[in-house]
Short mmCIF file of all heavy atoms in Angstrom, two decimals:
data_model
loop_
_atom_site.label_atom_id
_atom_site.label_comp_id
_atom_site.label_asym_id
_atom_site.label_seq_id
_atom_site.Cartn_x
_atom_site.Cartn_y
_atom_site.Cartn_z
N TYR Z 67 119.12 106.43 92.43
CA TYR Z 67 118.29 105.30 91.78
C TYR Z 67 117.71 105.98 90.49
O TYR Z 67 117.85 107.09 90.11
CB TYR Z 67 117.18 105.13 92.74
CG TYR Z 67 117.67 104.62 94.13
CD1 TYR Z 67 117.84 105.46 95.19
CD2 TYR Z 67 117.87 103.09 94.27
CE1 TYR Z 67 118.32 104.99 96.34
CE2 TYR Z 67 118.30 102.73 95.52
CZ TYR Z 67 118.56 103.55 96.57
OH TYR Z 67 119.10 103.05 97.69
N ILE Z 118 114.25 113.57 90.98
CA ILE Z 118 113.45 113.83 92.17
C ILE Z 118 114.56 113.82 93.39
O ILE Z 118 115.26 112.81 93.43
CB ILE Z 118 112.43 112.83 92.40
CG1 ILE Z 118 111.31 112.93 91.35
CG2 ILE Z 118 111.81 113.05 93.80
CD1 ILE Z 118 110.23 111.65 91.52
N ASP Z 121 116.32 113.76 99.52
CA ASP Z 121 117.12 114.38 100.56
C ASP Z 121 118.49 114.83 100.17
O ASP Z 121 118.84 114.46 98.95
CB ASP Z 121 117.01 113.66 101.91
CG ASP Z 121 117.42 112.27 101.84
OD1 ASP Z 121 118.48 112.11 101.16
OD2 ASP Z 121 116.98 111.40 102.53
N THR Z 124 119.88 111.35 98.91
CA THR Z 124 119.16 110.38 98.12
C THR Z 124 118.47 111.09 96.78
O THR Z 124 117.78 111.98 97.07
CB THR Z 124 117.93 109.67 98.88
OG1 THR Z 124 118.47 109.37 100.10
CG2 THR Z 124 117.58 108.43 98.22
N GLU Z 198 89.31 95.33 78.25
CA GLU Z 198 89.38 93.75 78.14
C GLU Z 198 90.63 93.48 77.17
O GLU Z 198 91.41 92.49 77.55
CB GLU Z 198 88.01 93.42 77.44
CG GLU Z 198 87.63 92.02 77.55
CD GLU Z 198 87.03 91.80 78.90
OE1 GLU Z 198 86.45 92.69 79.49
OE2 GLU Z 198 87.14 90.71 79.36
N TYR Z 201 93.93 94.21 79.12
CA TYR Z 201 94.34 93.10 80.22
C TYR Z 201 94.60 91.81 79.41
O TYR Z 201 95.50 91.00 79.94
CB TYR Z 201 93.26 92.98 81.14
CG TYR Z 201 93.46 94.01 82.36
CD1 TYR Z 201 92.74 95.25 82.43
CD2 TYR Z 201 94.45 93.59 83.17
CE1 TYR Z 201 92.95 96.10 83.30
CE2 TYR Z 201 94.68 94.74 84.30
CZ TYR Z 201 93.91 95.85 84.26
OH TYR Z 201 94.25 96.80 85.24
N PHE Z 214 96.52 102.27 84.56
CA PHE Z 214 95.62 103.48 84.93
C PHE Z 214 95.51 104.41 83.73
O PHE Z 214 96.41 104.59 83.00
CB PHE Z 214 96.24 104.31 85.98
CG PHE Z 214 96.44 103.55 87.33
CD1 PHE Z 214 97.65 103.73 88.02
CD2 PHE Z 214 95.51 102.75 87.94
CE1 PHE Z 214 97.88 103.09 89.26
CE2 PHE Z 214 95.67 102.08 89.07
CZ PHE Z 214 96.85 102.29 89.76
N GLU Z 215 94.27 105.02 83.68
CA GLU Z 215 94.19 106.01 82.69
C GLU Z 215 94.82 107.44 83.24
O GLU Z 215 94.55 107.69 84.43
CB GLU Z 215 92.61 106.18 82.69
CG GLU Z 215 92.06 107.02 81.43
CD GLU Z 215 90.41 107.18 81.61
OE1 GLU Z 215 89.87 106.21 82.28
OE2 GLU Z 215 90.06 108.02 80.94
N ASP Z 223 98.10 112.35 88.66
CA ASP Z 223 98.12 111.08 87.87
C ASP Z 223 99.40 110.49 87.79
O ASP Z 223 99.66 109.25 87.99
CB ASP Z 223 97.62 111.39 86.43
CG ASP Z 223 96.16 111.60 86.40
OD1 ASP Z 223 95.47 111.67 87.40
OD2 ASP Z 223 95.47 111.80 85.28
N ASN Z 225 102.17 111.12 89.69
CA ASN Z 225 102.49 110.56 91.07
C ASN Z 225 101.91 109.32 91.33
O ASN Z 225 102.60 108.50 91.91
CB ASN Z 225 102.10 111.71 92.00
CG ASN Z 225 103.07 112.81 92.11
OD1 ASN Z 225 104.15 112.74 91.70
ND2 ASN Z 225 102.77 113.93 92.83
N LEU Z 233 104.82 100.63 95.00
CA LEU Z 233 104.04 99.66 95.86
C LEU Z 233 104.01 98.29 95.17
O LEU Z 233 103.67 97.34 95.91
CB LEU Z 233 102.65 100.27 96.22
CG LEU Z 233 102.67 101.30 97.26
CD1 LEU Z 233 101.47 102.08 97.38
CD2 LEU Z 233 103.14 100.81 98.65
N SER Z 234 104.13 98.26 93.81
CA SER Z 234 103.95 96.89 93.24
C SER Z 234 105.40 96.17 93.51
O SER Z 234 105.48 94.97 93.47
CB SER Z 234 103.57 96.89 91.81
OG SER Z 234 104.28 97.86 91.11
N ILE Z 235 106.46 96.95 93.83
CA ILE Z 235 107.61 96.31 94.21
C ILE Z 235 107.61 95.83 95.61
O ILE Z 235 107.99 94.78 96.07
CB ILE Z 235 108.90 97.21 94.02
CG1 ILE Z 235 108.92 97.73 92.59
CG2 ILE Z 235 110.15 96.52 94.52
CD1 ILE Z 235 110.00 98.92 92.38
N ASP Z 236 107.08 96.76 96.57
CA ASP Z 236 106.90 96.39 97.90
C ASP Z 236 105.61 97.01 98.49
O ASP Z 236 105.56 98.09 98.91
CB ASP Z 236 108.05 96.99 98.77
CG ASP Z 236 108.20 96.32 100.16
OD1 ASP Z 236 107.04 95.68 100.68
OD2 ASP Z 236 109.15 96.38 100.89
N PRO Z 237 104.55 96.12 98.48
CA PRO Z 237 103.37 96.70 98.88
C PRO Z 237 103.22 96.88 100.47
O PRO Z 237 102.30 97.54 100.90
CB PRO Z 237 102.36 95.64 98.62
CG PRO Z 237 102.93 94.46 97.97
CD PRO Z 237 104.42 94.67 98.03
N THR Z 238 104.19 96.34 101.25
CA THR Z 238 104.10 96.54 102.69
C THR Z 238 104.54 97.82 103.26
O THR Z 238 104.51 98.08 104.43
CB THR Z 238 104.89 95.41 103.36
OG1 THR Z 238 106.15 95.51 102.88
CG2 THR Z 238 104.36 94.06 102.95
N ILE Z 239 104.97 98.71 102.36
CA ILE Z 239 105.41 100.00 102.83
C ILE Z 239 104.18 100.87 103.13
O ILE Z 239 103.17 100.98 102.43
CB ILE Z 239 106.24 100.91 101.82
CG1 ILE Z 239 107.43 99.99 101.47
CG2 ILE Z 239 106.55 102.26 102.23
CD1 ILE Z 239 108.04 100.50 100.14
N SER Z 241 101.75 103.74 103.13
CA SER Z 241 101.71 104.76 102.23
C SER Z 241 100.68 105.79 102.75
O SER Z 241 100.03 106.53 101.87
CB SER Z 241 101.22 104.31 100.81
OG SER Z 241 100.08 103.64 100.98
N THR Z 242 100.46 105.90 104.03
CA THR Z 242 99.42 106.72 104.54
C THR Z 242 99.83 108.11 104.88
O THR Z 242 98.99 108.83 105.34
CB THR Z 242 98.67 106.10 105.72
OG1 THR Z 242 99.69 105.97 106.67
CG2 THR Z 242 98.06 104.80 105.47
N ILE Z 243 101.13 108.37 104.71
CA ILE Z 243 101.57 109.75 105.34
C ILE Z 243 100.89 110.80 104.61
O ILE Z 243 100.87 110.93 103.36
CB ILE Z 243 103.19 109.76 105.12
CG1 ILE Z 243 103.75 108.70 105.92
CG2 ILE Z 243 103.67 111.12 105.40
CD1 ILE Z 243 104.41 107.62 105.13
N ASN Z 244 100.11 111.68 105.33
CA ASN Z 244 99.45 112.70 104.86
C ASN Z 244 99.37 113.82 105.91
O ASN Z 244 98.43 113.86 106.76
CB ASN Z 244 98.01 112.23 104.48
CG ASN Z 244 97.38 113.26 103.56
OD1 ASN Z 244 97.89 114.42 103.50
ND2 ASN Z 244 96.33 112.93 102.93
N VAL Z 247 96.07 118.36 107.26
CA VAL Z 247 94.41 118.06 107.70
C VAL Z 247 93.75 119.19 107.22
O VAL Z 247 93.98 120.38 107.60
CB VAL Z 247 94.36 117.81 109.13
CG1 VAL Z 247 92.93 117.68 109.46
CG2 VAL Z 247 95.17 116.58 109.55
N THR Z 248 92.77 118.89 106.34
CA THR Z 248 91.91 119.99 105.79
C THR Z 248 90.54 119.88 106.32
O THR Z 248 90.12 118.93 106.89
CB THR Z 248 91.92 119.96 104.29
OG1 THR Z 248 91.46 118.72 103.90
CG2 THR Z 248 93.09 120.38 103.72
N ASN F 97 92.40 112.10 105.46
CA ASN F 97 93.15 113.25 105.93
C ASN F 97 93.40 113.23 107.47
O ASN F 97 94.48 113.37 107.94
CB ASN F 97 92.53 114.53 105.52
CG ASN F 97 92.84 114.88 104.08
OD1 ASN F 97 93.56 114.21 103.54
ND2 ASN F 97 91.93 115.72 103.61
N PHE F 101 96.79 112.54 109.64
CA PHE F 101 97.31 113.38 110.76
C PHE F 101 97.49 112.67 112.16
O PHE F 101 98.52 112.80 112.80
CB PHE F 101 96.27 114.62 110.99
CG PHE F 101 96.41 115.33 112.20
CD1 PHE F 101 97.56 116.06 112.30
CD2 PHE F 101 95.50 115.06 113.27
CE1 PHE F 101 97.69 116.85 113.63
CE2 PHE F 101 95.75 115.71 114.51
CZ PHE F 101 96.77 116.49 114.68
N ILE F 172 88.43 121.41 109.31
CA ILE F 172 89.19 121.45 110.58
C ILE F 172 90.69 121.38 110.28
O ILE F 172 91.14 120.69 109.34
CB ILE F 172 88.67 120.27 111.40
CG1 ILE F 172 89.28 120.50 112.86
CG2 ILE F 172 88.98 118.89 110.95
CD1 ILE F 172 88.71 119.80 114.01
N ARG F 330 92.46 92.33 88.15
CA ARG F 330 92.80 93.56 87.43
C ARG F 330 92.69 94.65 88.55
O ARG F 330 92.11 94.57 89.51
CB ARG F 330 91.70 93.97 86.43
CG ARG F 330 91.51 93.08 85.39
CD ARG F 330 90.34 93.41 84.49
NE ARG F 330 90.19 92.47 83.44
CZ ARG F 330 89.30 92.71 82.42
NH1 ARG F 330 88.41 93.68 82.46
NH2 ARG F 330 89.23 91.78 81.38
N TRP F 331 93.69 95.70 88.11
CA TRP F 331 93.61 96.75 89.15
C TRP F 331 92.48 97.75 88.87
O TRP F 331 92.17 97.88 87.87
CB TRP F 331 94.94 97.63 88.79
CG TRP F 331 96.26 97.11 89.45
CD1 TRP F 331 96.63 95.80 89.07
CD2 TRP F 331 97.05 97.52 90.43
NE1 TRP F 331 97.93 95.67 89.79
CE2 TRP F 331 98.04 96.67 90.61
CE3 TRP F 331 97.04 98.67 91.16
CZ2 TRP F 331 99.20 96.91 91.54
CZ3 TRP F 331 97.91 99.00 92.12
CH2 TRP F 331 99.01 98.03 92.31
N PRO F 332 91.85 98.30 89.90
CA PRO F 332 90.95 99.35 89.69
C PRO F 332 91.67 100.62 89.16
O PRO F 332 92.87 100.88 89.33
CB PRO F 332 90.49 99.69 91.23
CG PRO F 332 91.44 99.14 92.14
CD PRO F 332 92.15 98.13 91.38
N ASN F 333 90.93 101.33 88.37
CA ASN F 333 91.53 102.45 87.61
C ASN F 333 91.53 103.74 88.67
O ASN F 333 90.69 104.53 88.49
CB ASN F 333 90.58 102.80 86.37
CG ASN F 333 91.22 103.93 85.59
OD1 ASN F 333 92.34 104.24 85.60
ND2 ASN F 333 90.30 104.50 84.71
N THR F 335 93.17 106.34 89.20
CA THR F 335 93.35 107.71 88.94
C THR F 335 91.96 108.37 88.54
O THR F 335 91.88 109.58 88.57
CB THR F 335 94.32 107.84 87.74
OG1 THR F 335 93.95 107.01 86.66
CG2 THR F 335 95.71 107.66 87.99
N ARG F 336 90.95 107.44 88.18
CA ARG F 336 89.68 108.00 87.85
C ARG F 336 88.65 107.49 88.68
O ARG F 336 87.61 108.27 88.87
CB ARG F 336 89.30 107.66 86.33
CG ARG F 336 90.41 108.17 85.32
CD ARG F 336 90.18 109.73 85.22
NE ARG F 336 91.18 110.27 84.23
CZ ARG F 336 92.45 110.67 84.62
NH1 ARG F 336 92.81 110.65 85.86
NH2 ARG F 336 93.23 111.04 83.72
N TYR F 342 94.38 102.69 101.50
CA TYR F 342 95.49 101.69 101.27
C TYR F 342 95.20 100.95 99.85
O TYR F 342 95.70 99.95 99.68
CB TYR F 342 95.55 100.70 102.32
CG TYR F 342 95.74 101.24 103.67
CD1 TYR F 342 94.59 101.35 104.51
CD2 TYR F 342 97.02 101.69 104.19
CE1 TYR F 342 94.64 101.86 105.83
CE2 TYR F 342 97.08 102.16 105.36
CZ TYR F 342 95.98 102.40 106.20
OH TYR F 342 96.03 102.85 107.60
N SER F 348 98.12 95.88 95.09
CA SER F 348 99.53 95.35 94.70
C SER F 348 99.69 93.92 95.24
O SER F 348 100.13 93.01 94.58
CB SER F 348 100.59 96.28 95.19
OG SER F 348 101.85 95.74 94.97
N LYS F 352 99.48 89.80 93.40
CA LYS F 352 100.61 88.98 93.32
C LYS F 352 100.35 87.45 93.66
O LYS F 352 100.99 86.58 93.10
CB LYS F 352 101.67 89.54 94.37
CG LYS F 352 102.37 90.72 94.12
CD LYS F 352 103.60 91.10 95.03
CE LYS F 352 103.98 92.45 94.85
NZ LYS F 352 104.31 92.72 93.36
N LEU F 364 99.87 93.75 105.56
CA LEU F 364 100.00 95.23 105.45
C LEU F 364 99.83 96.00 106.76
O LEU F 364 100.19 97.24 106.68
CB LEU F 364 99.00 95.62 104.40
CG LEU F 364 99.09 95.12 103.00
CD1 LEU F 364 97.97 95.64 102.07
CD2 LEU F 364 100.36 95.38 102.43
N PHE F 396 104.76 87.66 102.06
CA PHE F 396 105.52 88.50 101.19
C PHE F 396 106.78 88.98 102.02
O PHE F 396 106.68 89.39 103.13
CB PHE F 396 104.65 89.73 100.72
CG PHE F 396 105.32 90.74 99.87
CD1 PHE F 396 105.20 90.38 98.59
CD2 PHE F 396 105.91 91.85 100.40
CE1 PHE F 396 105.96 91.25 97.59
CE2 PHE F 396 106.66 92.52 99.48
CZ PHE F 396 106.60 92.43 98.10
N THR F 398 109.66 91.80 102.45
CA THR F 398 109.91 93.24 102.22
C THR F 398 111.14 93.37 101.38
O THR F 398 112.11 92.51 101.38
CB THR F 398 110.03 94.05 103.53
OG1 THR F 398 111.12 93.46 104.29
CG2 THR F 398 108.80 94.13 104.17
N HIS F 399 111.24 94.56 100.56
CA HIS F 399 112.34 94.71 99.67
C HIS F 399 113.52 95.35 100.33
O HIS F 399 113.41 96.18 101.46
CB HIS F 399 111.81 95.62 98.59
CG HIS F 399 112.56 95.66 97.30
ND1 HIS F 399 113.60 96.57 97.13
CD2 HIS F 399 112.39 94.78 96.25
CE1 HIS F 399 114.17 96.16 95.96
NE2 HIS F 399 113.38 95.28 95.34
N PHE F 405 112.01 103.66 99.22
CA PHE F 405 110.65 103.64 98.89
C PHE F 405 109.79 104.37 99.79
O PHE F 405 108.84 105.17 99.35
CB PHE F 405 109.97 102.18 98.66
CG PHE F 405 110.70 101.32 97.67
CD1 PHE F 405 110.67 99.91 97.73
CD2 PHE F 405 111.33 102.10 96.52
CE1 PHE F 405 111.36 99.11 96.81
CE2 PHE F 405 111.94 101.16 95.55
CZ PHE F 405 111.93 99.78 95.74
N LYS F 406 110.04 104.44 100.99
CA LYS F 406 109.31 105.28 102.02
C LYS F 406 109.57 106.69 101.72
O LYS F 406 108.53 107.38 101.72
CB LYS F 406 109.79 104.96 103.46
CG LYS F 406 108.86 103.80 103.99
CD LYS F 406 109.28 103.49 105.41
CE LYS F 406 108.70 102.20 105.85
NZ LYS F 406 109.24 101.58 107.09
N LYS F 407 110.73 106.97 101.46
CA LYS F 407 111.08 108.41 101.14
C LYS F 407 110.37 108.85 99.95
O LYS F 407 109.83 109.93 99.88
CB LYS F 407 112.64 108.67 101.01
CG LYS F 407 113.43 108.73 102.31
CD LYS F 407 114.93 108.86 101.91
CE LYS F 407 115.83 108.38 103.06
NZ LYS F 407 117.19 108.46 102.67
N ASN F 410 106.66 109.25 100.56
CA ASN F 410 106.35 110.45 101.31
C ASN F 410 106.49 111.89 100.42
O ASN F 410 105.71 112.72 100.39
CB ASN F 410 107.54 110.83 102.42
CG ASN F 410 107.21 109.95 103.57
OD1 ASN F 410 106.14 109.35 103.71
ND2 ASN F 410 108.27 109.69 104.50
N HIS F 411 107.55 111.75 99.46
CA HIS F 411 107.78 112.81 98.47
C HIS F 411 106.56 113.02 97.60
O HIS F 411 106.05 114.08 97.38
CB HIS F 411 109.02 112.67 97.74
CG HIS F 411 109.30 113.69 96.69
ND1 HIS F 411 110.13 114.77 97.00
CD2 HIS F 411 108.90 113.77 95.50
CE1 HIS F 411 110.18 115.48 95.93
NE2 HIS F 411 109.44 115.02 94.96
N LEU F 412 106.06 111.90 97.13
CA LEU F 412 104.97 111.96 96.17
C LEU F 412 103.80 112.29 96.93
O LEU F 412 102.95 113.00 96.23
CB LEU F 412 104.72 110.52 95.51
CG LEU F 412 105.91 110.09 94.62
CD1 LEU F 412 105.74 108.63 94.30
CD2 LEU F 412 106.04 110.87 93.34
N LYS F 413 103.47 111.89 98.06
CA LYS F 413 102.23 112.38 98.82
C LYS F 413 102.25 113.74 99.07
O LYS F 413 101.16 114.44 99.13
CB LYS F 413 102.17 111.53 100.13
CG LYS F 413 101.98 110.04 100.06
CD LYS F 413 100.42 109.82 100.04
CE LYS F 413 100.21 108.31 99.70
NZ LYS F 413 98.88 108.11 99.23
#
Side-chain angles (χ1 to χ4, degrees):
Chain Z
Y67 302 91
I118 296 175
D121 54 40
T124 322
E198 205 75 31
Y201 275 101
F214 300 137
E215 195 180 338
D223 283 4
N225 274 350
L233 288 167
S234 46
I235 301 169
D236 189 346
T238 59
I239 297 165
S241 61
T242 59
I243 297 113
N244 194 344
V247 176
T248 52
Chain F
N97 284 346
F101 161 72
I172 190 162
R330 295 177 182 185
W331 281 65
N333 184 17
T335 47
R336 298 290 176 268
Y342 308 98
S348 173
K352 290 188 190 306
L364 297 177
F396 186 82
T398 52
H399 201 270
F405 294 155
K406 273 184 192 165
K407 281 184 202 170
N410 281 345
H411 178 93
L412 296 169
K413 291 270 172 201

